[in-house]
Amino acid sequence: MFKELVSKLLQAGLDEKPELFLIDLTIEPGNKISVVLDGDNGVSVKDCIFISRAIDHNIDEEEHVFSLDVASCGATSPLKTVRQYIKNISRDLEVKLQSGNTLKGELTKANDENITLEWDTREPKPIGKGKVTVHKIEEIAYSDIVEAKVVIKF
């Protein structure tokens, strides 16, 4: 019942700020609430405060004792939702696959079923010595992805 109340209040807050979306909601024993958000344009401290207040100010503290933590997912967190992939189109990703392989490339497309990565690699020439640059394109189903992270460049 408490989780339903928190979920309802959280959704009401997110409805007021449609550019934000939920990554994770957990409620641990002792009513420790943890909310992780992302946003189409990032998540500001003001956004976290807004969502925190949407929950905190609408729960009767005499009826429920709880603690609340609202945070953004962070730049190095793995991507979990289709909306995160769409948000990160044109950025470089490192994708670990079920097969054990890891691919690094630019995320060029994302839809409800899969993503498309593109990258250049050096491969041996088909005839003769030396190497040639080859442009690779691979569609990857979400079900084949173990973990995908944005590659941060400095």
Side-chain angles (χ1 to χ4, degrees):
M1 181 164 154
F2 181 69
K3 185 168 184 164
E4 291 171 10
L5 172 63
V6 172
S7 295
K8 181 179 167 187
L9 295 171
L10 173 59
Q11 189 57 55
L14 291 172
D15 289 345
E16 287 188 50
K17 291 198 170 262
E19 69 277 10
L20 298 177
F21 52 97
L22 181 66
I23 299 300
D24 193 31
L25 167 64
T26 56
I27 300 177
E28 296 177 7
N31 289 340
K32 183 176 187 240
I33 306 165
S34 177
V35 177
V36 180
L37 303 172
D38 200 350
D40 296 326
N41 303 309
V43 179
S44 69
V45 173
K46 286 183 181 181
D47 293 331
C48 291
I49 290 169
F50 178 84
I51 296 298
S52 178
R53 287 181 178 160
I55 297 168
D56 186 40
H57 290 189
N58 293 298
I59 297 177
D60 183 358
E61 291 184 29
E62 290 183 17
E63 191 175 324
H64 300 284
V65 176
F66 65 95
S67 65
L68 174 62
D69 179 37
V70 178
S72 66
C73 63
T76 59
S77 298
L79 304 180
K80 293 184 178 182
T81 69
V82 172
R83 195 163 167 184
Q84 284 182 299
Y85 284 95
I86 292 170
K87 168 189 164 184
N88 286 292
I89 287 175
S90 81
R91 297 186 75 186
D92 287 342
L93 295 187
E94 179 176 276
V95 181
K96 294 180 185 172
L97 303 173
Q98 295 282 356
S99 66
N101 294 338
T102 299
L103 300 176
K104 289 183 185 177
E106 179 184 350
L107 176 64
T108 56
K109 295 179 190 170
N111 59 38
D112 290 337
E113 290 87 36
N114 56 45
I115 64 170
T116 302
L117 282 185
E118 295 188 30
W119 69 97
D120 290 330
T121 186
R122 300 283 290 165
E123 293 184 353
K125 286 183 179 179
I127 299 173
K129 294 182 181 181
K131 292 189 175 192
V132 64
T133 300
V134 178
H135 186 74
K136 300 273 191 168
I137 299 173
E138 183 145 352
E139 273 192 11
I140 305 164
Y142 291 113
S143 60
D144 293 335
I145 298 172
V146 173
E147 181 180 82
K149 290 184 177 184
V150 174
V151 176
I152 307 296
K153 295 180 181 178
F154 295 98

